[in-house]
Amino acid sequence: MGKCPDCGTWDALEETTLDPMTSQDPHKGLAVAAADIQGGNALAGPEPAAGARALSEIDEAAAPLPRLSTGIGEFDRVLGGGGGGGGIGAGAGASGGGLVPGSAVLLGGEPGIGKSTLLLQAAFALASRGTKVLYVSSEESAEQVAMRGKRLREGLAPEQSVGSLDRSLFILADTNLARIVEQTRKVGPRVLMIDSIQMIYKPDVPASPGSVTQLRRCCAELVYLAKASGVAIVLVGHVTKDGTLAGPRLLEHLVDCVLSFEGDRYHAHRVVRAVKNRFGTTLELGLFEMTGKGLEQVPEGAGLPAASAVTGPGSVVCPVMSGTRCMLVELQALTATGFLGAVKRKSSGLDANRLAMIIAVLEQHAGLRLADRDVFASAVGGVRVNEPASDLALLLAIAGAHFKRALPPATCVLGEVGLSGEVRAVPHMEQRLREAVRLGYTHALAPRGKLPRIPGLTLVQASKVSEAMDKMG
């Protein structure tokens, strides 16, 4: 046919290949829902097969890249932005962090740690600025969610609109995936939150909710819905007794971002870290404190002020970097009488292999006899310290605990320790030292070399482990 039967134009017809298996696609219903959410019309017949395109033909501006700020700066920081301070409900970080439209985020944590609280506060902050949010609770009724939300609403910033919150936040208590997708199609939210994925089931799958089969199917379909509709989906996942996410490891591969909510449920402080993030770094930390009105951000409480630091043998403060943030962390060590050949080397918040290396350096280059001493080391505050910049601080904490000697008050220590006993420089030296001065530290023990001069800070340099140990009282 050379002439179009509809418009009568000659040579206007183009050959198109149709995929006959499209009608049997299990995601066909999700594609229809996604089209309705986007405001388009789903194709009634078979869809054309998608063809490959050259990279130069792809319009980057059409990609849904602008992030949706959750309104919680510490949460935005972990999701991929450099979120700043302020209380819950405060504005986003300066670098525009937040949820990427069309992404799938999996949030895991121990029971009672505050996953639902964080998610509901983020839903309130989003909805108060007019972003439509659908919060699906598979473990509580809608009335229970509303009761919990009354005290969390008090944490909203005064400038945020409560009226907009009432119009933009929708609560659904359901566990059936088909009904959840249908309500998503009707509401048309920009953010879909599901608490939790373990309770969601697909009726046509012959398996109980929470099983590997159900988790795999439900998560795969929700990820497909996110990509097809541009809705950002946040899933809450349970963890096992070992602290890992429950279910198949496939869940972590399917989603774009895996967040871990950590902390002791019997203490106030909480830490959110990214285990996987396709749209940002995995080095950032979000710091929170659990209060009677929910989770409060602790943007300025990341460091340990000099006035609060414990001064004594076995306690050393070190400036450590986590992404773009510098934190002053206290490292503690204790040595006790052990049995030769059966000594204990225990660490909390520190790398056990690095602890063993530091002990070997002390024995070889500092003359300490630790073969019959139990050594315990810990990073105070629940923050995990992995970077080499903490080597010298850990070494002096162990040596101080062994000799009952301490560093002068208001002193921080930083430096990497080599196997030959040398102390090496670490990156971001100026940022670490300026943060130490801001928190009240007046002395810094650092590697020998060209160091920035900062008013109010006295630098003490050492090139060998033995030199650094001589600085202890």
Side-chain angles (χ1 to χ4, degrees), residues 317-351:
V317 175
C318 175
V320 299
M321 295 295 299
S322 179
T324 58
R325 160 180 276 157
C326 178
M327 297 182 292
L328 274 293
V329 179
E330 181 182 353
L331 304 183
Q332 290 187 344
L334 174 67
T335 61
T337 304
F339 297 97
L340 188 64
V343 293
K344 299 176 182 177
R345 305 285 191 251
K346 301 294 185 181
S347 63
S348 175
L350 298 166
D351 187 2

Side-chain angles (χ1 to χ4, degrees), residues 282-307:
T282 57
L283 300 176
E284 295 285 5
L285 289 180
L287 301 177
F288 296 89
E289 182 179 0
M290 181 63 78
T291 66
K293 296 181 180 179
L295 290 164
E296 293 287 343
Q297 299 182 85
V298 195
E300 296 300 326
L304 177 68

Side-chain angles (χ1 to χ4, degrees), residues 78-411:
V78 181
L79 287 170
I88 289 290
S95 60
L99 294 167
V100 175
S103 65
V105 178
L106 180 61
L107 175 65
E110 295 182 357
I113 202 70
K115 302 184 298 296
S116 301
T117 301
L118 176 61
L119 224 60
L120 194 56
Q121 285 183 248
F124 283 166
L126 282 163
S128 65
R129 299 195 311 276
T131 301
K132 193 175 290 187
V133 180
L134 175 59
Y135 184 92
V136 179
S137 176
S138 61
E139 301 174 350
E140 298 176 280
S141 65
E143 291 74 18
Q144 290 172 330
V145 175
M147 288 174 57
R148 186 157 49 89
K150 286 183 179 179
R151 61 183 176 86
L152 299 180
R153 290 177 65 164
E154 299 177 5
L156 290 175
E159 66 273 9
Q160 292 179 322
S161 171
V162 176
S164 179
L165 168 64
D166 295 334
R167 295 189 301 270
S168 301
L169 180 58
F170 297 83
I171 307 296
L172 173 65
D174 207 335
T175 57
N176 189 311
L177 181 62
R179 291 196 292 263
I180 292 173
V181 172
E182 176 61 19
Q183 289 300 314
T184 305
R185 183 188 66 81
K186 290 182 178 179
V187 174
R190 296 189 66 189
V191 179
L192 171 64
M193 299 180 175
I194 297 181
D195 182 13
S196 64
I197 186 62
Q198 266 78 14
M199 297 294 292
I200 304 299
Y201 72 94
K202 203 171 182 333
D204 58 347
V205 175
S208 59
S211 63
V212 172
T213 305
Q214 285 282 9
L215 281 173
R216 184 185 295 115
R217 282 291 301 275
C218 292
C219 186
E221 297 209 1
L222 286 171
V223 171
Y224 178 86
L225 177 64
K227 305 302 179 187
S229 64
V231 175
I233 296 181
V234 184
L235 310 173
V236 170
H238 295 171
V239 296
T240 64
K241 61 182 180 180
D242 298 326
T244 58
L245 282 167
R249 200 65 187 265
L250 177 66
L251 294 185
E252 298 182 39
H253 293 286
L254 285 174
V255 298
D256 301 300
C257 184
V258 180
L259 304 182
S260 177
F261 204 11
E262 304 170 0
D264 191 338
R265 60 180 300 182
Y266 301 108
H267 290 79
H269 287 89
R270 304 286 190 269
V271 176
V272 180
R273 70 174 74 246
V275 180
K276 168 190 174 181
N277 194 350
R278 288 174 178 161
F279 309 113
T281 180
T282 57
L283 300 176
E284 295 285 5
L285 289 180
L287 301 177
F288 296 89
E289 182 179 0
M290 181 63 78
T291 66
K293 296 181 180 179
L295 290 164
E296 293 287 343
Q297 299 182 85
V298 195
E300 296 300 326
L304 177 68
S308 304
V310 177
T311 302
S315 179
V316 179
V317 175
C318 175
V320 299
M321 295 295 299
S322 179
T324 58
R325 160 180 276 157
C326 178
M327 297 182 292
L328 274 293
V329 179
E330 181 182 353
L331 304 183
Q332 290 187 344
L334 174 67
T335 61
T337 304
F339 297 97
L340 188 64
V343 293
K344 299 176 182 177
R345 305 285 191 251
K346 301 294 185 181
S347 63
S348 175
L350 298 166
D351 187 2
N353 295 327
R354 213 150 189 94
L355 173 62
M357 185 198 76
I358 295 298
I359 294 173
V361 172
L362 279 170
E363 290 189 335
Q364 189 69 22
H365 299 286
L368 272 72
R369 178 177 170 81
L370 299 173
D372 58 349
R373 304 285 291 179
D374 294 338
V375 179
F376 305 92
S378 172
V380 180
V383 178
R384 185 163 184 84
V385 179
N386 289 321
E387 67 165 340
S390 62
D391 287 352
L392 186 58
L394 179 57
L395 183 142
L396 293 180
I398 297 173
H402 185 73
F403 290 127
K404 302 296 188 293
R405 295 160 58 187
L407 289 168
T411 300

